[in-house]
Amino acid sequence: MVGALAAAGTDALQASTCAGLTGWQWAILGAALAFVGGGMGSAMGITYASNVASGVLVEDPDKFGSLLPLIAIPGTQGIYGLITAILVTFQFDLPKLSGQTGMMVFFACLPVAFVCFISAVFQGLTSASAIGMVARRTEELGKALVLPALVETYAVFSLILTIFLFTKIK
Amino acid sequence: MDVEPDMARAMKTFRKVPRYGHAVGRIMVHEAALLDWQRIVRLLESGFSECLEILRETEYGPYLEDAVVSEDVEEGLQRFLVGQYSFLDDICAGTYVARFLHLKYDFHNLKVIFKEKCFGDSTEDMLSVLGSLDVEVLEAAINSGQVGHLPRYWDGVVEEVRAAVEADEEDPGTVDAVADQLYLERRLELARMEKSRFLISYARAAIDVANLRILLRGRRLDKEQGYYRLALANGGRLERIMLLDLSGDAHERLVARLISTRYGRMLEEVLHTEDKEVRLTSLDRHSDEYLLEKLGAMDRIRVGPERIVRYILTRENEVVLIRIILQGKLHRLTPADIEEVINPKYLAERG
């Protein structure tokens, strides 16, 4: 009797883990990775743009208002990472997630984790070039903003995909 | 051209940001103030006083506003360059970029002082204040032999040039040959210390171009093998040993070998079609143009030392251009005559 109960308990535990991690461990890992990817990318992208902008501002402090959107724009990927992490914690009942479902949540977080990291770094590079345009002519700000905004598109797509995948996970 | 994955290249670029980002931002603002083609055309077509009026609207204004005679123009442009170099020192603190650019003036001063000491040439108005070494300290070190006050690298340079001059007291060209060789090699060393792929590539191309000039000019002047040993610099893409080897070859073989190198296209343009002789003045011009093209190809987008170097060298070319135009106006040359003197590649940067 005791042996049968122990065997049933072990089976239940095995069913709730996948590749050695429980469902909520997988989900938390996905949430953390999404935020780390987006956050790191944004921090690097903003550092890049703000380093160049600081030089422009030393020479021409009046350009601060024009440059601020270009410095801030690589920061959005960090926000997408945060949104993903919050969605994971609120949309799923973490303690009750099976191992398999948790793993699905983890994989659904990957688009944001990777695309946001890479796009934020490249957006920082694009913003730095766009800052060069504004340094030459302030009236070019509109055009200059379009360039990093194009890089942003793919970060937005990754967030949409991640949210879409979340809705499909039962 | 080595192929790097985009991400790896982006990360490498990212590592340069804390080092150059601020400097490049400041450069971006000054790049906007470079003279454009329309303004240069206006300068060419105007009289001297109208030129000063046009330049008043630019960064040159405060330096040239009271210029009346040739000396005023020289002095004003010199002050402008001093301002540019002090800006460079300000933005490049902690890197080798400023030293990379100051170096040519230090070696220029070294040559002038040596020539005065050994051959009695006048140094009046010849010394430049754009070097990183104090001219008086350099002068004292060369004249007295006490090199203790010079920075570590320079004591060896002074000794090496002194030894070469003592070995060949007849020829002032020895000073140029040794100093130019040491300058080119040192510049490559600084580029390597800066770990900049673009600066290294530029410094190596400059060595090759200088070595080609030495080789082809030396052949024309029937120079001995010893001259090539003294003058050819190490570090270019064309091996020095190969060039030394070629210096003893027949002219046809020398030309054929050089044509097969990466500089073949440039050399083909300066060769007479009939006798395959090299037109030396064309060689100078074409090799200058080659280096300007190299400079133009430096990355205009990425944050790195190349952008700073490109800006300063473009400014120097601009100063040369303004000097030619203003001196031409003072000497009542026609716009067509002045335009003939200007190297069109100087203007390539401005489109």
Side-chain angles (χ1 to χ4, degrees), chain A:
Chain A
M1 181 68 179
V2 174
L5 278 173
T10 310
D11 286 348
L13 188 65
Q14 275 173 352
S16 68
T17 63
C18 194
L21 293 179
T22 61
W24 71 268
Q25 284 174 330
W26 274 113
I28 294 291
L29 189 62
L33 200 62
F35 182 69
V36 167
M40 271 176 63
S42 283
M44 290 168 82
I46 291 178
T47 305
Y48 199 103
S50 57
N51 253 288
V52 176
S54 71
V56 174
L57 292 173
V58 166
E59 298 293 322
D60 191 353
D62 295 341
K63 287 207 161 78
F64 180 74
S66 312
L67 296 184
L68 192 58
L70 291 167
I71 301 166
I73 203 168
T76 51
Q77 281 85 341
I79 299 172
Y80 301 156
L82 183 65
I83 291 171
T84 306
I86 290 171
L87 279 176
V88 169
T89 51
F90 284 99
Q91 191 166 332
F92 302 101
D93 190 359
L94 294 182
K96 290 182 185 165
L97 278 186
S98 70
Q100 208 173 16
T101 314
M103 197 179 203
M104 284 160 71
V105 172
F106 170 79
F107 279 114
C109 289
L110 293 186
V112 165
F114 288 108
V115 176
C116 283
F117 173 70
I118 291 170
S119 68
V121 172
F122 278 103
Q123 199 170 37
L125 297 174
T126 318
S127 283
S129 303
I131 286 168
M133 284 172 71
V134 178
R136 280 175 184 236
R137 281 207 293 265
T138 313
E139 60 272 22
E140 299 285 343
L141 176 62
K143 288 178 199 160
L145 263 172
V146 171
L147 305 177
L150 289 173
V151 184
E152 180 81 14
T153 319
Y154 296 93
V156 174
F157 286 166
S158 72
L159 179 66
I160 292 170
L161 178 64
T162 294
I163 293 173
F164 182 70
L165 292 174
F166 283 169
T167 61
K168 295 292 171 193
I169 297 170
K170 298 275 191 281

Side-chain angles (χ1 to χ4, degrees), chain B residues 22-93:
Chain B
H22 180 82
V24 168
R26 294 184 70 178
I27 289 286
M28 281 172 173
V29 177
H30 286 265
E31 277 174 346
L34 286 167
L35 297 188
D36 55 19
W37 174 240
Q38 286 82 1
R39 203 165 281 192
I40 289 164
V41 170
R42 276 174 63 203
L43 284 175
L44 278 169
E45 288 168 353
S46 308
F48 181 73
S49 54
E50 289 158 316
C51 280
L52 295 186
E53 205 58 49
I54 294 166
L55 290 171
R56 191 163 293 152
E57 302 156 14
T58 69
E59 291 193 352
Y60 294 93
Y63 299 93
L64 292 170
E65 58 189 353
D66 299 323
V68 180
V69 290
S70 180
E71 287 74 22
D72 299 339
V73 171
E74 290 300 325
E75 190 262 340
L77 290 174
Q78 185 67 17
R79 273 194 299 125
F80 176 78
L81 273 182
V82 169
Q84 291 296 307
Y85 269 84
S86 109
F87 167 66
L88 172 76
D89 292 337
D90 187 23
I91 63 173
C92 289

Side-chain angles (χ1 to χ4, degrees), chain B residues 109-252:
Chain B
N109 288 340
L110 178 109
K111 288 195 280 188
V112 170
I113 298 167
F114 259 110
K115 282 181 186 172
E116 187 205 19
K117 178 179 156 57
C118 304
F119 306 102
D121 294 0
S122 164
T123 58
E124 201 184 348
D125 296 333
M126 294 286 283
L127 292 168
S128 171
V129 289
L130 299 175
S132 59
L133 289 179
D134 187 322
V135 177
E136 283 175 15
V137 173
L138 185 63
E139 215 163 7
I142 292 170
N143 290 331
S144 68
Q146 303 289 317
V147 290
H149 292 296
L150 287 175
R152 198 176 166 75
Y153 164 77
W154 286 96
D155 50 5
V157 170
V158 170
E159 291 306 332
E160 207 164 322
V161 178
R162 192 195 310 281
V165 173
E166 278 166 8
D168 187 2
E169 286 177 5
E170 299 292 306
D171 187 6
T174 307
V175 177
D176 289 328
V178 180
D180 288 344
Q181 183 219 44
L182 290 170
Y183 158 63
L184 290 165
E185 289 176 356
R186 176 63 175 171
R187 197 164 65 156
L188 177 61
E189 199 181 325
L190 289 175
R192 286 190 169 133
M193 282 152 82
E194 191 58 41
K195 296 184 181 141
S196 161
R197 200 157 52 95
F198 286 95
L199 292 190
I200 292 170
S201 161
Y202 181 73
R204 293 187 76 186
I207 288 177
D208 283 337
V209 161
N211 281 348
L212 286 176
R213 283 183 187 184
I214 289 164
L215 198 58
L216 293 167
R217 181 162 279 121
R219 289 300 297 253
R220 181 67 66 83
L221 301 172
D222 285 331
K223 291 279 188 184
E224 300 287 322
Q225 186 80 1
Y227 167 76
Y228 299 113
R229 275 207 194 89
L230 206 64
L232 290 174
N234 266 313
R237 289 184 196 281
L238 304 178
E239 289 288 332
R240 182 173 180 265
I241 195 139
M242 184 269 279
L243 295 173
L244 275 172
D245 223 25
L246 282 178
S247 66
D249 277 353
H251 181 70
E252 293 73 26

